[in-house]
């Protein structure tokens, strides 16, 4: 009996890819905290998962995998700066930390799924 890994692993690979891409966006925001006129960006998790579900169905039909690029949105600052920079250090640090924790959680779930598959393959 063949194992369909896409079906067995669920949304976890897509979630990890999203979390990785979001970490890059948030790191870019943090790196540009003092850059005049820099606009902070972010990615919507809900929209990314909807896009991943649609893309997953299309990939299943096309039988090829390409990384999904998620739409970057502009973050609206709570306190705009005078130089036009919309990066707020505390907001970005909290978002980065939250994203890192969510990445670790998704990685744990994926590891559990793989362990379960390994046990099923070994007949344990």
């Amino acid at each position: 009996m063949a194992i369909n890994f896409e079906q067995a692993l669920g949304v976890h690979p897509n979630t990890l890819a999203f979390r990785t891409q979001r970490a890059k966006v948030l790191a870019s925001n943090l790196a540009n905290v003092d850059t005049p006129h820099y606009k902070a960006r972010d990615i919507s998790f809900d929209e990314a998962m909807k896009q991943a579900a649609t893309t997953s169905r299309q990939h299943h039909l096309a039988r090829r995998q390409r990384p999904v690029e998620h739409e970057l949105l502009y973050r609206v600052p709570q306190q705009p700066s005078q130089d036009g920079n919309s990066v707020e250090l505390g907001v970005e640090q909290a978002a980065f930390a939250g994203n890192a924790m969510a990445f670790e959680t998704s990685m744990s779930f994926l590891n559990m799924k793989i362990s379960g598959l390994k046990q099923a393959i070994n007949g344990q």
Side-chain angles (χ1 to χ4, degrees):
M1 178 178 195
I3 296 174
N4 180 342
F5 285 103
E6 283 182 27
Q7 196 173 28
L9 298 178
V11 299
H12 301 296
N14 289 334
T15 304
L16 287 175
F18 164 77
R19 294 291 173 198
T20 300
Q21 185 178 357
R22 186 167 187 235
K24 290 176 185 177
V25 171
L26 295 173
S28 178
N29 290 346
L30 287 167
N32 288 288
V33 70
D34 293 324
T35 304
H37 305 290
Y38 182 83
K39 304 298 180 202
R41 307 293 297 264
D42 204 352
I43 305 169
S44 166
F45 181 76
D46 294 334
E47 291 301 316
M49 289 298 103
K50 287 177 190 174
Q51 182 182 2
T54 303
T55 306
S56 178
R57 277 186 237 116
Q58 291 170 350
H59 284 171
H60 181 69
L61 296 173
R63 289 284 188 214
R64 61 181 173 203
Q65 289 286 350
R66 288 186 191 159
V68 177
E69 290 296 321
H70 303 291
E71 180 183 2
L72 290 175
L73 307 172
Y74 288 99
R75 190 185 307 279
V76 178
Q78 295 171 7
Q79 292 184 323
S81 67
Q82 290 188 350
D83 68 357
N85 185 312
S86 66
V87 177
E88 296 174 295
L89 185 60
V91 171
E92 298 303 324
Q93 288 173 329
F96 192 86
N99 189 63
M101 287 180 10
F103 181 90
E104 290 298 323
T105 301
S106 293
M107 184 62 84
S108 295
F109 281 123
L110 187 60
N111 283 334
M112 287 188 287
K113 288 270 192 178
I114 291 171
S115 290
L117 288 172
K118 185 178 175 183
Q119 288 177 348
I121 290 169
N122 292 334
Q124 297 175 350

